[in-house]
Amino acid sequence: MSDLLSQLMIFATKATLIVFLILVLFAGIIGIMGRGKQKMNGKISIKNINKKYKKIKQLLLEEMLPKKAFKKYLKEISAVEKEKTRTQDTSTQKNIFIVQFQGDMKASAVSSLREEITAILAVAKPQDEVVVCIESGGGMVHAYGLATAQLSRIREKKIPLTVIVDKVAASGGYLMACVANKILAAPFAIIGSIGVIAQLPNFNRLLKEKNIDFEQIMAGNYKRTVSMFGENTEEGREKLKEEINNIHQLFKKVIHDHRPALDIEKVSTGEIWTGSEALQLQLVDGLTTSDDYLLSLHPDANLYEISL
């Protein structure tokens, strides 16, 4: 009897332990899902760039100046700032909202861009300015079309939009940039590539050599124009060319609508240019880096970098 009781106690202990472990595992899964949801939603981060510049300057002066001279500098700065705060009309003060766009083939950053722009539009006034620093070699048409539409939201609200290109804004990257009131580029930045391309390998001959059949059933003559595995036809190729040309014409129209002074036929060949060459072609409006442009604005405006 005692053996049976001890076995029942052991069984009960094991069962309790298993249930406890299952509950811990379940709680862990719920926690991970919760964190994943929080990460996906994210939150808007705001960085005051004026404070950053001020801090850098003070750190340098602290090392460079004698202690008495540095203390005197701090007192003078404090007095200037107090006077500025007392006399300044905050309702007319200009705010600069800065957004970074790092593009890939899928324009993945558009998910953050749309949230950042929504946040900016909630507070921005026509006297303010939005600065978007773009770095992208382009990618999928529909993805960069959406990114371009997000920047158009700023223009529609009559808020000045400046795009700065430090490295590259090509193809879809330039499609985004052309929406701006003003495009600035570093002298050696890559600009242009106003064209459309589609390419894929075809394994049909290899499949035939291996006696492998490929079946493709479609409803609609042009559901699939060219295929990786089937035997492509001239009709399919021509249809794909037609679709690519239509997208190219739309690309050109968007650019021409925003920059009518451009010789659109001259610049829409798919070529790329440096920032200096792009200035001559009127693809950009000036040569500078994002660092110099923001530094030039900082004495007379509040600079805020917005990121999700």
Side-chain angles (χ1 to χ4, degrees):
M1 187 69 179
S2 59
D3 288 343
L4 179 61
L5 187 61
S6 61
Q7 287 178 12
L8 285 172
M9 290 179 65
I10 292 170
F11 175 77
T13 304
K14 287 182 177 179
T16 303
L17 182 60
I18 290 169
V19 170
F20 175 75
L21 290 173
I22 290 171
L23 289 173
V24 169
L25 180 61
F26 183 72
I29 291 170
I30 295 297
I32 290 169
M33 289 174 67
R35 286 197 299 271
K37 185 177 180 181
Q38 186 179 14
K39 185 178 179 182
M40 185 178 292
N41 292 336
K43 68 174 184 176
I44 293 293
S45 172
I46 303 165
K47 184 187 295 183
N48 189 313
I49 304 300
N50 300 72
K51 289 181 180 179
K52 172 187 167 184
Y53 289 151
K54 178 184 174 182
K55 186 176 181 180
I56 291 170
K57 183 176 180 179
Q58 287 187 3
L59 285 171
L60 285 170
L61 290 176
E62 188 176 9
E63 291 297 323
M64 294 166 61
L65 297 175
K67 284 186 178 180
K68 286 186 178 180
F70 181 65
K71 285 182 179 180
K72 182 181 177 182
Y73 163 78
L74 290 178
K75 286 182 180 179
E76 290 173 353
I77 287 294
S78 179
V80 169
E81 287 181 349
K82 284 180 181 177
E83 180 63 20
K84 188 177 179 182
T85 302
R86 188 179 67 82
T87 60
Q88 199 170 50
D89 183 359
T90 56
S91 64
T92 60
Q93 194 170 10
K94 185 174 182 178
N95 298 306
I96 309 294
F97 301 99
I98 306 149
V99 173
Q100 305 287 338
F101 184 88
Q102 297 286 329
D104 55 18
M105 285 295 292
K106 296 180 180 179
S108 304
V110 75
S111 58
S112 298
L113 180 68
R114 66 200 310 176
E115 300 292 344
E116 291 157 0
I117 290 175
T118 296
I120 290 168
L121 293 181
V123 296
K125 302 179 288 292
Q127 72 203 39
D128 297 329
E129 180 181 350
V130 179
V131 176
V132 181
C133 302
I134 293 177
E135 184 178 334
S136 174
M140 295 179 175
V141 173
H142 63 284
Y144 278 91
L146 178 58
T148 302
Q150 294 301 324
L151 296 187
S152 295
R153 294 169 62 198
I154 300 169
R155 291 293 304 270
E156 287 166 6
K157 295 293 184 181
K158 310 299 181 186
I159 299 167
L161 172 62
T162 300
V163 162
I164 306 179
V165 184
D166 285 328
K167 293 181 180 178
V168 57
S171 194
Y174 187 76
L175 179 66
M176 291 177 65
C178 78
V179 175
N181 300 90
K182 179 171 58 180
I183 305 175
L184 305 173
F188 285 92
I190 300 300
I191 306 292
S193 189
I194 302 170
V196 185
I197 186 172
Q199 55 186 0
L200 73 164
N202 182 265
F203 299 98
N204 185 253
R205 285 186 295 174
L206 178 63
L207 294 179
K208 285 181 177 179
E209 288 177 10
K210 303 299 182 182
N211 295 319
I212 299 172
D213 294 327
F214 174 73
E215 299 291 343
Q216 182 172 267
I217 301 168
M218 296 186 298
N221 292 339
Y222 299 116
K223 179 64 178 176
R224 176 77 67 195
T225 52
V226 295
S227 166
M228 289 179 63
F229 301 106
E231 187 171 352
N232 292 322
T233 64
E234 279 304 315
E235 183 185 9
R237 292 188 187 99
E238 288 303 317
K239 182 61 178 175
L240 180 59
K241 287 179 185 177
E242 180 187 328
E243 292 170 349
I244 289 173
N245 283 330
N246 288 341
I247 294 170
H248 191 208
Q249 291 303 319
L250 180 59
F251 193 170
K252 289 159 63 175
K253 183 181 184 305
V254 172
I255 293 172
H256 184 64
D257 287 347
H258 287 96
R259 301 185 71 83
L262 267 177
D263 183 347
I264 192 63
E265 296 304 325
K266 183 176 180 179
V267 299
S268 60
T269 58
E271 296 173 79
I272 58 171
W273 295 276
T274 63
S276 300
E277 294 168 328
L279 180 61
Q280 295 175 4
L281 293 166
Q282 300 184 63
L283 286 161
V284 303
D285 302 299
L287 297 179
T288 189
T289 63
S290 60
D291 309 280
D292 276 341
Y293 184 68
L294 295 177
L295 199 59
S296 70
L297 296 173
H298 122 83
D300 304 310
N302 298 315
L303 275 65
Y304 303 103
E305 185 170 0
I306 312 296
S307 60
L308 185 69

